[in-house]
Amino acid sequence: MQTADIQRRWLDFFGQRGHTVVPSASLIADDPTVMFTIAGMVPFIPYLTGVVPAPYPRATSVQKCIRTNDIEEVGKTTRHGTFFQMNGNFSFGDYFKEGAITYAWELLTTPESDGGLGFAEKDLWVTVYEDDDEARQLWKKIAGLPDERIQSMGKEDNYWSTGQPGPAGPCSEIYFDRGPAYGPEGGPAVDDTRYIEIWNLVFMQYAIEDVRSKTEFRIVGELPNKNIDTGMGMERVAFLKQGVENMYEIDQVRPVLDAAAALSGRRYGANPDDDVRMRVIADHVRSSLMLMTDGVAPGNEGRGYILRRLMRRSIRAMRLLGVDAPSFDTLFAASRDAMSAAYPEVAQNYDRVSRLALGEEDAFLRTLVAGTSILDVAVADTKTGGGSVLAGDTAFQLHDTFGFPIDLTLEMAEEAGLSVDREAFDRLMAEQRSRAKADAKSKKAVLADVSVYGAFRSLGETRFLGYDELEAETRVVGIIVDGVSVDRATVGQLAEVILAETTLYAESGGQDADEGTIVGEGFELEVLDVQRPIAGLVSHRVEVRTGEVSVGSSARTVVDGDYRRAATQAHSATHVIHAALRQTLGHDAHQSGSYNKAGYMRLDFSWNQALSPDTRSEIEEISNIAVRDNLEVETRVMGLDEAKSLGAMALFGEKYGDRVRVVDIGGPWSRELCAGTHVSRSAEIGMISLVSESSVGSTNRRVEALVGLDAFREFATERALVQQLTAQLKTPRDSLVDRIAELSQQLKTAEKRIAQFEAQKLSERVPALVQSAESVGAVQLVAADLGAVGSADDVRSLAQSVRERLAGSAAVIALAGHAGGKATVIVATTPTARDAGARAGELAKRASAVLGGGGGGKDDLAQGGGPKLELVGDALAAVREALQG
């Protein structure tokens, strides 16, 4: 019996018995916090838990599922697969235990010729929860099973709950006896290899509280509506009905296994290790095919990373089978042909899936060559050094530079008898993710050519709903990739997304764009920037994190609430500081520009001289008094002329329409035209700390401030610094300035004395250096490493002093020293030496090359150097060799 036939029989059976046939949901879970659909009941959870009223009393489905938590067991057991199908029938307050048991027994034991699955009654066993006498009696009544084939199990095996307070209930599981060749007698309680579980019936009848573990909770009563949730494992039933040994040999999986065997020239069944590899390939290729069909693309995070891991494990397994050449073209085609009967969309989407698969394989095969050589060297070095743990930074380099998933490095290291420093690897990965996110946010991508937006703008304006809501349902109107309008964007791509409505604020009026996400059925987009490329249209610059987004898709905009709150505080603080400036300096201090984002604001204003410290303090104090007074913040939309008549200030150079938004803080105290987001009362700003004031032109100044929590953190940092200084200097806070000035003067005096002392010590070396002169070629050479020196000037002074002593001879002086982690070489020549052909610039250049740096200068005096302190002797030797030549 083919797997597609089992699927058809299942849906027909329950459909004929009043169940609504529900198509399989996507493998990409609706819940953005969950990567995949991991169980057949997941799409029905809202109905089973009563959160949402069920739209039908009973339903049935064959649900696609992905689980990778047991990925290491794939290929090693008869029943572990990353992709599987769960056949389910569900009752929402309709039939209960008797109905569920009746349907299960009828479908399982009805002959195949009559539409059933044709299992022999004698081969079926069941388990029930140890306290569920009702279920035991029903099995005896409906199926006629004897007591010995109805085994009682505890909560660990036969009780279901979500792990949270809410619905729960006992389970009853149906097992098939594979016969004595597979294990001892005694039923599933004795051996679950011989007795294979094929169907689980969950009787959701109780409400539980005080949940402490899977087996520790308190039953508080029966549910008003009792539900049924069942799941029959499609792959398990298939391998039993097809008479094969395991799920990897069924009709939907075996063709890939056979293709891997043919490509490798190895026979399945001949070698246990090869068998495991072939089963891994068969499972992972099918899982990858189904994931990509549902819109997942290979990537470095989330769902994309799981998919990439499956594909790369497949490639790795093929290499262990001796196949280094590309194989996905053959393997994926075999899986397509095997799965299309049950899922026609696999064939319909195969061109796209194939391109993704072949591209991923090509890229990874190239990286394997380079990465494997790096890993082999690292493994050899680790073993040579007597170590047993591969360094975490090596694993990170393999991941970051060569695209090796960490699990692949773990596998290859284990094969070599080593473990990996996973803690160090995880730390480096966390640091990289933090840097990457900060970098992505800091780079404002260039928007597409303005002409591309015309078609979208003709459909209407983008409605901004973000003044009142942080989330809103909307629709994808357009997608732009690399400046071109397209119908979809996939995982890893950067794109611009145009929506019918949005809650995400577009950068304008000095306020930076919101942070947040755009999520929809099967996709999640990280918002990198939001802009208004043309009037009335908002473009969201995004990275597709998971899935595939297409034009016409329903979507939900989700603003990062913490970021919006902090950005709102900063924008309101900008208005407050502007009002404080004008109150302090007069109306000539007019805003000429601003920028604000979460926790930070800057404001440019017309003024032609620096603000005194007292003036800065006054502005800061007025601003914080306004915050303390909790002034009302009111926003109104009115005509432009009316707004101007009320004294609302407009930003110079800004364009305004006929209708404008006026923001008042404390009534007329601060009244400006502004489309930004603001607090509702000034106390919500929190705190304003004026951190700098500077010039941005001959007639403009700039003030910068930290706002809210960022301002508090700045004060806390400064307070901690003052406390450290008072403790270390043993000086009261009020005397710190004088004490630091005193110490600074003492330090300058000491440094001057030290410099004099060092210069004197160096000058005392002149006679010895003159005596060290040796004949090299046609000149006398003085070459010496002075060691640590105060500065390059000290070396130069000493070289010149030695040259003065040797002025009457053909002499070359080459002195080296190091300061600040860098070596310095000074070469000085006398006139007679220069007549003999010695050139200081050329000699300094040769020495510097040895030190890993550069140098040069005039014929009489030149300087060079480099970072390689350990090669100073070699650098001086290079001068000697040049003179000998």
Side-chain angles (χ1 to χ4, degrees):
M1 185 182 295
Q2 298 295 291
T3 307
D5 188 25
I6 298 172
Q7 175 180 333
R8 180 187 56 79
R9 288 169 183 259
W10 177 275
L11 296 177
D12 286 349
F13 177 87
F14 285 102
Q16 292 167 5
R17 288 157 179 77
H19 293 69
T20 298
V21 177
V22 179
S24 173
S26 170
L27 286 168
I28 302 172
D30 285 336
D31 185 346
T33 65
V34 179
M35 283 197 289
F36 299 118
T37 301
I38 61 172
M41 52 86 73
V42 167
F44 301 98
I45 287 177
Y47 312 144
L48 292 168
T49 58
V51 174
V52 176
Y56 25 67
R58 52 179 72 180
T60 186
S61 69
V62 175
Q63 176 62 48
K64 301 175 293 185
C65 304
I66 285 281
R67 287 185 197 168
T68 58
N69 53 317
D70 293 326
I71 195 171
E72 302 302 331
E73 298 302 313
V74 170
K76 300 176 183 177
T77 71
T78 61
R79 55 187 182 272
H80 279 99
T82 53
F83 173 85
F84 59 95
Q85 300 154 89
M86 190 59 70
N87 299 7
N89 60 286
F90 308 89
S91 167
F92 311 107
D94 189 8
Y95 61 84
F96 196 50
K97 289 182 186 179
E98 183 170 3
I101 292 172
T102 299
Y103 287 141
W105 191 253
E106 182 182 354
L107 177 58
L108 286 173
T109 60
T110 295
E112 293 182 19
S113 58
D114 294 331
L117 296 178
F119 283 99
E121 294 184 12
K122 65 179 181 61
D123 295 328
L124 299 177
W125 291 60
V126 299
T127 63
V128 296
Y129 177 54
E130 56 192 0
D131 293 339
D132 193 356
D133 293 334
E134 179 187 6
R136 172 177 288 276
Q137 294 305 316
L138 285 170
W139 277 113
K140 294 171 68 173
K141 169 189 169 183
I142 295 167
L145 288 173
D147 281 330
E148 60 269 20
R149 281 169 51 202
I150 306 173
Q151 297 187 323
S152 296
M153 309 285 272
K155 289 179 179 177
E156 183 69 32
D157 297 298
N158 278 62
Y159 209 94
W160 176 90
S161 76
T162 63
Q164 301 292 328
C171 306
S172 181
E173 297 173 339
I174 306 172
Y175 289 78
F176 176 81
D177 180 5
R178 304 177 74 192
Y182 293 93
E185 295 183 0
V190 173
D191 189 319
D192 64 354
T193 298
R194 169 175 171 172
Y195 300 90
I196 293 287
E197 178 197 341
I198 58 176
W199 202 335
N200 182 23
L201 314 179
V202 176
F203 309 129
M204 212 174 294
Q205 66 184 105
Y206 297 114
I208 62 172
E209 291 182 356
D210 191 23
V211 181
R212 298 177 297 282
S213 70
K214 179 179 173 62
T215 59
E216 296 177 299
F217 49 80
R218 180 166 55 88
I219 297 175
V220 294
E222 292 203 348
L223 295 171
N225 290 317
K226 298 179 177 63
N227 298 327
I228 288 292
D229 159 28
T230 84
M232 185 184 82
M234 175 79 85
E235 281 73 16
R236 297 187 185 186
V237 171
F239 86 70
L240 294 173
K241 294 304 296 180
Q242 293 173 19
V244 295
E245 291 298 309
N246 52 61
M247 64 166 288
Y248 311 103
E249 298 175 16
I250 67 173
D251 62 300
Q252 286 187 343
V253 187
R254 180 64 186 253
V256 183
L257 188 153
D258 290 338
L263 288 170
S264 65
R266 305 189 186 191
R267 183 174 61 84
Y268 181 65
N271 180 290
D273 291 336
D274 286 348
D275 289 352
V276 170
R277 291 162 186 155
M278 292 179 194
R279 292 195 287 262
V280 166
I281 293 163
D283 171 85
H284 287 7
V285 165
R286 182 171 78 141
S287 298
S288 300
L289 172 75
M290 300 306 292
L291 282 169
M292 287 190 285
T293 297
D294 275 7
V296 182
N300 289 328
E301 293 184 0
R303 299 181 181 101
Y305 173 74
I306 298 297
L307 170 59
R308 175 165 283 169
R309 183 184 184 194
L310 292 169
M311 298 174 77
R312 292 185 171 183
R313 280 172 59 91
S314 303
I315 296 168
R316 167 74 173 151
M318 287 299 294
R319 286 175 65 85
L320 291 175
L321 290 174
V323 180
D324 294 332
S327 59
F328 275 4
D329 190 24
T330 300
L331 298 175
F332 272 80
S335 190
R336 172 202 61 197
D337 295 343
M339 297 300 297
S340 294
Y343 302 97
E345 64 270 22
V346 169
Q348 296 164 6
N349 290 279
Y350 187 70
D351 287 345
R352 174 181 60 82
V353 169
S354 178
R355 286 194 299 272
L356 282 172
L358 299 183
E360 179 70 12
E361 181 183 38
D362 179 65
F364 189 53
L365 286 175
R366 290 198 305 269
T367 64
L368 264 178
V369 175
T372 300
S373 63
I374 295 290
L375 183 58
D376 289 344
V377 171
V379 166
D381 289 347
T382 302
K383 288 185 172 181
T384 301
S388 61
V389 180
L390 191 70
D393 56 357
T394 299
F396 177 75
Q397 180 194 13
L398 286 166
H399 171 86
D400 191 48
T401 305
F402 301 101
F404 265 49
I406 181 60
D407 64 285
L408 182 57
T409 300
L410 291 169
E411 288 180 9
M412 295 176 72
E414 184 180 1
E415 290 169 6
L418 299 178
S419 60
V420 176
D421 187 346
R422 184 62 185 269
E423 182 177 343
F425 171 84
D426 290 340
R427 183 179 66 253
L428 291 167
M429 282 295 296
E431 292 172 357
Q432 184 201 53
R433 280 193 291 268
S434 179
R435 288 193 303 270
K437 185 168 185 178
D439 184 59
K441 288 297 296 180
S442 68
K443 295 178 180 176
K444 297 291 186 181
V446 178
L447 294 173
D449 184 87
V450 172
S451 61
V452 78
Y453 302 107
F456 306 131
R457 181 62 181 85
S458 66
L459 301 175
E461 293 190 2
T462 307
R463 294 178 58 216
F464 179 64
L465 309 177
Y467 292 131
D468 303 311
E469 304 290 341
L470 295 182
E471 297 187 20
E473 299 297 326
T474 185
R475 178 175 54 87
V476 177
V477 175
I479 300 173
I480 302 169
V481 175
D482 295 330
V484 178
S485 177
V486 298
D487 64 349
R488 66 192 65 243
T490 58
V491 166
Q493 282 191 298
L494 296 177
E496 291 177 59
V497 173
I498 313 297
L499 303 173
E501 301 90 6
T502 186
T503 54
L504 291 149
Y505 185 82
E507 181 179 4
S508 60
Q511 181 174 333
D512 203 0
D514 274 335
E515 291 186 352
T517 57
I518 301 171
V519 297
E521 180 71 24
F523 65 84
E524 179 178 354
L525 317 177
E526 181 182 7
V527 177
L528 305 178
D529 192 15
V530 190
Q531 295 290 328
R532 294 182 182 272
I534 59 176
L537 194 73
V538 174
S539 171
H540 305 78
R541 180 78 176 175
V542 303
E543 181 179 1
V544 184
R545 306 298 291 174
T546 60
E548 179 179 271
V549 59
S550 58
V551 174
S553 298
S554 296
R556 185 171 74 255
T557 58
V558 182
V559 177
D560 183 321
D562 291 338
Y563 186 90
R564 166 67 76 79
R565 184 182 304 108
T568 294
Q569 290 173 312
H571 201 156
S572 295
T574 306
H575 287 219
V576 167
I577 286 184
H578 188 202
L581 274 166
R582 290 169 63 81
Q583 181 175 324
T584 304
L585 303 177
H587 293 295
D588 289 341
H590 193 284
Q591 178 181 342
S592 58
S594 67
Y595 172 72
N596 48 78
K597 62 178 182 179
Y600 166 86
M601 60 128 297
R602 71 169 185 249
L603 185 144
D604 297 344
F605 60 100
S606 55
W607 201 249
N608 59 6
Q609 59 184 348
L611 303 183
S612 68
D614 288 342
T615 301
R616 287 178 52 179
S617 295
E618 184 180 359
I619 293 168
E620 187 177 59
E621 182 174 352
I622 291 172
S623 299
N624 281 290
I625 288 173
V627 171
R628 180 204 64 186
D629 290 345
N630 199 23
L631 304 175
E632 181 182 8
V633 179
E634 181 184 9
T635 59
R636 295 171 288 168
V637 177
M638 62 184 68
L640 180 59
D641 292 338
E642 181 185 4
K644 288 181 177 179
S645 69
L646 292 173
M649 293 178 11
L651 184 62
F652 179 77
E654 189 78 12
K655 294 182 179 179
Y656 298 96
D658 293 336
R659 303 288 291 175
V660 293
R661 188 166 179 262
V662 178
V663 178
D664 289 350
I665 301 178
W669 183 70
S670 170
R671 178 169 290 161
E672 300 188 31
L673 304 182
C674 183
T677 62
H678 288 274
V679 298
S680 57
R681 299 194 70 90
S682 62
E684 296 173 20
I685 295 172
M687 181 185 293
I688 299 173
S689 172
L690 201 59
V691 293
S692 74
E693 186 269 339
S694 59
S695 172
V696 287
S698 60
T699 60
N700 279 280
R701 307 293 297 180
R702 170 175 292 172
V703 290
E704 296 177 272
L706 297 177
V707 183
L709 190 57
D710 289 76
F712 168 78
R713 288 169 177 156
E714 176 74 3
F715 281 126
T717 299
E718 291 182 355
R719 179 179 60 193
L721 178 61
V722 170
Q723 289 174 341
Q724 290 175 14
L725 289 172
T726 57
Q728 290 180 8
L729 300 180
K730 297 181 174 59
T731 302
R733 185 177 64 178
D734 294 340
S735 303
L736 269 181
V737 174
D738 292 337
R739 177 58 175 153
I740 290 173
E742 178 185 349
L743 290 174
S744 178
Q745 184 58 48
Q746 292 175 0
L747 179 61
K748 288 179 182 179
T749 301
E751 287 175 344
K752 186 176 180 179
R753 290 176 179 174
I754 291 171
Q756 292 172 344
F757 174 76
E758 289 178 344
Q760 181 180 351
K761 293 293 290 182
L762 282 174
S763 67
E764 291 175 356
R765 299 181 65 174
V766 171
L769 290 170
V770 171
Q771 290 296 319
S772 71
E774 57 179 314
S775 295
V776 177
V779 302
Q780 294 292 304
L781 173 65
V782 175
D785 180 4
L786 305 176
V789 296
S791 68
D793 289 339
D794 293 335
V795 183
R796 183 184 297 104
S797 297
L798 188 58
Q800 290 173 321
S801 296
V802 175
R803 182 176 61 180
E804 288 176 5
R805 295 287 189 94
L806 296 172
S809 63
V812 175
I813 297 89
L815 302 181
H818 62 85
K822 183 178 180 180
T824 296
V825 175
I826 302 292
V827 180
T829 61
T830 64
T832 310
R834 293 194 291 277
D835 291 341
R839 301 289 182 264
E842 295 177 3
L843 295 172
K845 188 180 296 184
R846 284 179 178 248
S848 300
V850 175
L851 295 171
K858 297 180 179 180
D859 290 347
D860 63 331
L861 186 66
Q863 177 176 332
K868 299 180 180 178
L869 307 185
E870 72 278 6
L871 298 182
V872 166
D874 294 340
L876 294 174
V879 173
R880 180 179 288 103
E881 291 171 4
L883 292 173
Q884 288 174 337

